[in-house]
Amino acid sequence: MKLLLRTPSLVHAAHCENVLRAAGIQAEVRNTWLAGAAGDIPLQESAPQVWILDDSTEADAWAVLNAAANPRPGPHWQCRHCGEWHEAQFAACWRCGQPQDQAAG
Ligand SMILES: [Zn+2]
């Protein structure tokens, strides 16, 4: 388990979790239960947290989040290897790992 990021926004935390899971990275949001009891707890400690279950996926997790935050315009593309459809900002198939350049065309 590794703490990936803190965010004051539960919506943002849930969004990050969804993006990571869609990319095949196991993630979960923590601290959501503190929202109503944050009185004496410093904001930093009570803010929602996004954790990754496997420490080794941290670099991939940031790459996925950065890609999601800066979407590349372009058409969806389909993996030639497994047939999965992807948004333009994904450079490789999240299901089988096939790079887009070899998957498309
Ligand atoms: Zn694929």
Side-chain angles (χ1 to χ4, degrees):
M1 295 287 302
K2 182 157 190 167
L3 175 61
L4 189 65
L5 62 89
R6 288 190 180 92
T7 170
S9 165
L10 183 55
V11 171
H12 181 237
H15 170 73
C16 290
E17 180 188 32
N18 287 337
V19 167
L20 291 171
R21 286 186 174 178
I25 296 170
Q26 289 185 296
E28 68 178 46
V29 176
R30 291 187 169 189
N31 255 16
T32 58
W33 54 275
L34 278 173
D40 294 330
I41 303 170
L43 182 61
Q44 188 80 340
E45 298 301 320
S46 62
Q49 303 168 344
V50 179
W51 289 70
I52 49 175
L53 302 196
D54 182 349
D55 293 14
S56 68
T57 61
E58 183 179 12
D60 288 339
W62 281 117
V64 167
L65 290 179
N66 286 335
N70 303 288
R72 271 191 352 213
H76 289 201
W77 59 278
Q78 185 176 22
C79 176
R80 274 194 154 186
H81 185 74
C82 70
E84 189 68 39
W85 281 93
H86 303 81
E87 308 226 351
Q89 69 264 30
F90 292 104
C93 176
W94 58 262
R95 175 173 284 182
C96 70
Q98 192 87 351
Q100 180 183 1
D101 290 342
Q102 294 173 29

